[in-house]
Amino acid sequence: MTPLPLRPDSRVLVLTGAGISAESGVPTFRGAGGLWEGHPVTEVASPEGFDADPALVWRFYGERRQARKTVAPNPGHRALVALEHALGDRFLLATQNVDGLHREAGSQRVLAIHGELFESKCERCRVPFPDERTYLGEPVPVCPTCGQRIRVNVVWFGEMLDPKHLRQIDRFIAEAGNRLVFLAVGTSGLVYPAAGLVDSAKQVGGTTVLVDLAPNREHARRFDRVEVGKSGEVLPRLLAAAQ
Ligand SMILES: NC(=O)c1ccc[n+]([C@@H]2O[C@H](COP(=O)([O-])OP(=O)(O)OC[C@H]3O[C@@H](n4cnc5c(N)ncnc54)[C@H](O)[C@@H]3O)[C@@H](O)[C@H]2O)c1
Ligand SMILES: [Zn+2]
């Protein structure tokens, strides 16, 4: 495999999705048929779903927290750590994963654009705090300050991403211009605004690369180069020159 062509002035923006954590044993949503115990994930990952049945939603995330504690980063995560070591501030990682595996592997310049599984926030106070507890239903936790319900700090279907994250990504792309290499890994490209980053990268003259085990054809067509395979096997080879 030809390594990613990196020049001394290259800037690399990486976007990761559920696929990069699949080899660690974290299931992708679509891989599971988009269902959890017969519920569509949109039902347990939306504000409407939480209003309708907060105990059910907490049981879903409680199980996610429990499962996450049993897994570890894989060679795909580690290849990105090595790339960041080589590039420093010329590297930025935006992840749609909430599992925290990039940070556990050692990545530092990470934006968790869909939030963090091990954080919670009060629906009213809205300040996220670290939270490793697993609620498996009732009672639904409430805020000690205001009495409102506590929820997990992930971005649910229909919710906005943190504008600070989006501005930081936009700035990175604009400053990089045609020195930009945009590398998307294990993401189906169906969830916006992350799915639009490939177009932003092309607009500034950047090079675009997709690594995915089973790329969605429509999504793959938008990239200059597509490497089909497991990210834990492809990334160490693709990024070998930077290590
Ligand atoms: N680990 C997590 O934190 C986690 C897990 C499931 C879902 N989610 C959330 O669900 C949403 C789903 O969007 P998405 O695009 O991230 O995921 P997705 O489930 O829509 O797509 C996953 C992609 O990964 C690919 N893939 C599967 N195994 C792979 C492997 N070993 N190597 C490389 N690619 C592989 C699939 O072909 C698919 O294209 C995201 O918003 C994310 O926040 C997060
Ligand atoms: Zn509160």
Side-chain angles (χ1 to χ4, degrees):
M1 179 187 306
T2 330
L4 201 65
L6 292 178
R7 299 189 314 248
D9 63 349
S10 295
R11 308 276 195 274
V12 180
L13 172 64
V14 185
L15 170 70
T16 62
I20 196 167
S21 293
E23 286 156 86
S24 292
V26 184
T28 62
F29 279 173
R30 273 159 255 275
L35 292 180
W36 170 73
E37 292 191 359
H39 300 278
V41 286
T42 46
E43 201 176 301
V44 286
S46 67
E48 296 77 20
F50 192 57
D51 279 340
D53 194 345
L56 178 81
V57 172
W58 260 120
R59 191 155 64 77
F60 174 70
Y61 284 103
E63 285 184 9
R64 301 279 79 68
R65 284 181 179 180
Q66 277 184 328
R68 166 60 183 87
K69 287 175 188 168
T70 67
V71 306
N74 67 56
H77 296 105
R78 286 194 285 276
L80 295 178
V81 177
L83 181 64
E84 181 177 358
H85 280 155
L87 297 177
D89 284 336
R90 294 187 288 120
F91 174 94
L92 183 65
L93 170 55
T95 185
Q96 299 170 90
N97 297 341
V98 299
D99 56 37
L101 285 170
H102 285 299
R103 280 201 184 276
E104 187 175 321
S107 291
Q108 290 173 356
R109 294 164 180 85
V110 189
L111 303 176
I113 61 174
H114 288 175
E116 302 269 7
L117 180 62
F118 287 119
E119 285 181 1
S120 298
K121 64 184 177 191
C122 162
E123 283 194 303
R124 184 179 293 153
C125 305
R126 302 224 148 243
V127 183
F129 57 90
D131 192 359
E132 298 243 332
R133 293 170 291 183
T134 52
Y135 302 102
L136 294 175
E138 303 283 0
V140 172
V142 293
C143 174
T145 310
C146 75
Q148 268 292 334
R149 287 183 307 211
I150 300 280
R151 55 167 279 184
V152 67
N153 185 33
V154 304
V155 179
W156 281 334
F157 290 99
E159 293 186 321
M160 305 285 283
L161 272 58
D162 183 343
K164 285 202 294 291
H165 286 166
L166 296 176
R167 277 199 298 272
Q168 206 173 326
I169 294 167
D170 285 346
R171 206 181 313 128
F172 189 90
I173 293 173
E175 285 175 9
N178 62 10
R179 298 170 301 188
L180 181 70
V181 176
F182 174 66
L183 174 62
V185 184
T187 177
S188 58
L190 301 174
V191 182
Y192 278 81
L197 290 179
V198 58
D199 300 318
S200 309
K202 280 201 290 207
Q203 267 163 24
V204 298
T207 306
T208 56
V209 181
L210 174 67
V211 173
D212 199 289
L213 183 57
N216 168 292
R217 200 178 302 164
E218 287 294 302
H219 186 225
R221 199 177 298 154
R222 298 155 72 191
F223 288 79
D224 299 319
R225 176 174 168 189
V226 179
E227 292 291 344
V228 177
K230 293 184 173 179
S231 47
E233 294 166 7
V234 173
L235 287 181
R237 292 159 62 201
L238 188 67
L239 305 176
Q243 290 171 38

